[in-house]
Amino acid sequence: MSVLRIAYCGWLLGLALAQPAANTPPPDFSPQVFEIARELRCPVCQGESVAESNAGISLEMRRIIAEQLAQGKSEEEIKAYFVSRYGPWILYEPPRSGLTLWVWLAPLVGVGFIGAGLYFYLQSARRRSLEAGTAEVSEEELRRAEAELDQP
């Protein structure tokens, strides 16, 4: 092996070791950090929480959560901090007040409207079938049916 190959391998090894660490959370984060991070939406990712995302901003948010927990702040105070910075959309479960209350109530209101509409439709269909059932049989048809039933 030539000196040039050894130098090239040493240079490649140096590059590999000089790479920054992967975006994995440091193992010293407590489980409470990830519990809070699961309730926060990643600002740059689609459909991922801060706990799931490997984006740099999510890693930074987890670090901030860990710092604030170390300062003795409660979960609600930490969430309020991120809401003040990013707005209420940062929460996976928005508060049930104001405009977001309608988002929570809309499915119930929709199910109520569908149930009421189905009830009134079935009532009118039943009424129509009762009216149609008595109007379609004439007297002559009734007499003929009774005569057929009386035959042995």
Side-chain angles (χ1 to χ4, degrees), residues 1-11:
M1 197 181 246
S2 71
V3 175
L4 188 60
R5 282 185 181 178
I6 293 173
Y8 182 71
C9 288
W11 179 71

Side-chain angles (χ1 to χ4, degrees), residues 71-91:
Q71 293 171 359
K73 291 188 177 176
S74 69
E75 182 178 337
E76 296 305 318
E77 290 173 328
I78 294 170
K79 286 181 188 176
Y81 169 78
F82 286 109
V83 167
S84 70
R85 290 190 73 181
Y86 297 102
W89 72 270
I90 197 78
L91 299 173

